[in-house]
Amino acid sequence: MKELRLANKIVTTQIKDRIHYPGRLVADTLANIGRCGILLLLYWYVFNLREGTIQNTTFLLVAWSMFFYFAFSVLRLRDIGKTIMEDVRSGTVEILLNKPISYILYRAWWQLGGGLYSFLVIGIIGTILLTTLIGIPDTMMNLTFALSLAAVFILGIVLSLILYSIVGMLAFWIEEIRPIFWMVDKSVMILGGSYLPIALFPDIMYKLAIWSPFGASQFVTHTMYPSWTREWYSFVGIQLFWIAILGMFTYFLFQKAKQKLSVNGG
């Protein structure tokens, strides 16, 4: 219960901080308009050239898929890796290890709280704009969609935090983790459907998007397609599998990191 109260305090404090200092919200809004907005205009033009359909997929589905990716990215879960690296470099990790909550959980809640306000604002505004301008797909107008979206969204958050935490903890052994971070982050971007919608993926690339942890962390981008109502439970199972495997790896990696910290004195 103490850990839950502390987690609630961390998230609440972060949200209040973002409300009073809206610089992050402005930056996230401009970034999403710049990337997502331009991409949607580009795909709208391409779909019009192809008479509204590409590989049996409409612009309406593609637009919502890409919007979900960019809205999810506003949470900035990827930054936990860089934060852990900075904690290790500065020695802050030794101080945080004494807090009444696991260091990894502390950083996870801190990261989630830091991006939650921007996500809620941009998510609501973006949803209203898309609904007004292009409408809502029929596949999103049922209870199965809502429940499964909530499931893969929450599991996607957990998997993303675990994935980037692993990258961050490599800083205990590697002085510069940015090359590894770059490879992992680009894999997530590509297989998550950031610039090429998953409906347009070649077969082998689509399989990687489903079965790899990089693509699994972004399953929110699959939820509006017609096949989702038949396959959503498989996607949830894949996310749970990777959370279990990578979660155990994170635990043992962190134990090794603490041993290294104890032996070397930081």
Side-chain angles (χ1 to χ4, degrees):
M1 291 299 293
K2 288 183 179 179
E3 289 192 352
L4 289 177
R5 287 196 295 269
L6 182 56
N8 180 65
K9 182 65 175 179
I10 293 170
V11 173
T12 303
T13 301
Q14 285 287 78
I15 292 175
K16 289 180 179 178
D17 182 67
R18 300 306 177 196
I19 292 174
H20 289 293
Y21 302 97
R24 173 67 63 83
L25 176 61
V26 174
D28 288 335
T29 302
L30 293 176
N32 272 271
I33 292 175
R35 291 181 296 170
C36 185
I38 292 174
L39 276 172
L40 291 183
L41 287 173
L42 175 63
Y43 276 103
W44 173 80
Y45 180 73
V46 172
F47 270 87
N48 279 343
L49 290 179
R50 298 294 297 271
E51 298 181 352
T53 303
I54 300 177
Q55 295 186 13
N56 297 319
T57 302
T58 64
F59 172 72
L60 181 62
L61 297 175
V62 165
W64 279 97
S65 176
M66 299 185 78
F67 166 67
F68 277 12
Y69 172 86
F70 283 102
F72 188 83
S73 70
V74 173
L75 287 169
R76 291 180 176 267
L77 304 176
R78 60 205 290 269
D79 289 351
I80 191 173
K82 296 177 182 178
T83 302
I84 293 175
M85 180 186 71
E86 293 301 326
D87 284 346
V88 174
R89 283 181 169 182
S90 65
T92 305
V93 65
E94 296 180 81
I95 300 173
L96 295 177
L97 283 174
N98 295 321
K99 287 187 175 290
I101 186 174
S102 165
Y103 168 73
I104 298 299
L105 286 177
Y106 172 79
R107 274 303 174 206
W109 285 115
W110 183 273
Q111 200 63 56
L112 181 61
L116 193 57
Y117 175 65
S118 294
F119 166 77
L120 291 174
V121 173
I122 293 174
I124 292 172
I125 294 175
T127 298
I128 293 172
L129 286 175
L130 275 184
T131 301
T132 303
L133 295 174
I134 65 175
I136 302 177
D138 292 337
T139 52
M140 292 172 56
M141 302 294 289
N142 58 73
L143 183 60
T144 299
F145 165 79
L147 295 177
S148 59
L149 174 63
V152 295
F153 173 74
I154 294 172
L155 294 176
I157 288 176
V158 175
L159 182 54
S160 295
L161 289 170
I162 291 174
L163 193 60
Y164 286 106
S165 292
I166 291 173
V167 176
M169 279 190 289
L170 294 178
F172 284 95
W173 293 272
I174 304 173
E175 184 175 352
E176 182 55 73
I177 66 165
R178 285 188 175 88
I180 299 173
F181 173 84
W182 183 87
M183 289 187 290
V184 171
D185 195 47
K186 295 307 177 185
S187 297
V188 170
M189 289 178 63
I190 293 169
L191 297 177
S194 59
Y195 297 112
L196 178 66
I198 56 168
L200 307 183
F201 281 4
D203 185 59
I204 187 171
M205 190 174 172
Y206 184 74
K207 289 179 180 178
L208 285 173
I210 293 176
W211 294 105
S212 71
F214 312 111
S217 66
Q218 306 295 320
F219 276 167
V220 290
T221 61
H222 295 245
T223 54
M224 67 293 304
Y225 292 107
S227 61
W228 179 255
T229 54
R230 304 188 303 272
E231 301 174 346
W232 67 268
Y233 54 88
S234 299
F235 286 81
V236 170
I238 292 170
Q239 284 183 315
L240 290 172
F241 168 79
W242 281 118
I243 287 172
I245 296 297
L246 295 181
M248 287 188 291
F249 182 72
T250 301
Y251 173 79
F252 288 114
L253 187 65
F254 186 56
Q255 296 307 311
K256 290 292 184 182
K258 288 196 292 185
Q259 291 175 14
K260 181 178 177 62
L261 191 65
S262 176
V263 171
N264 297 335

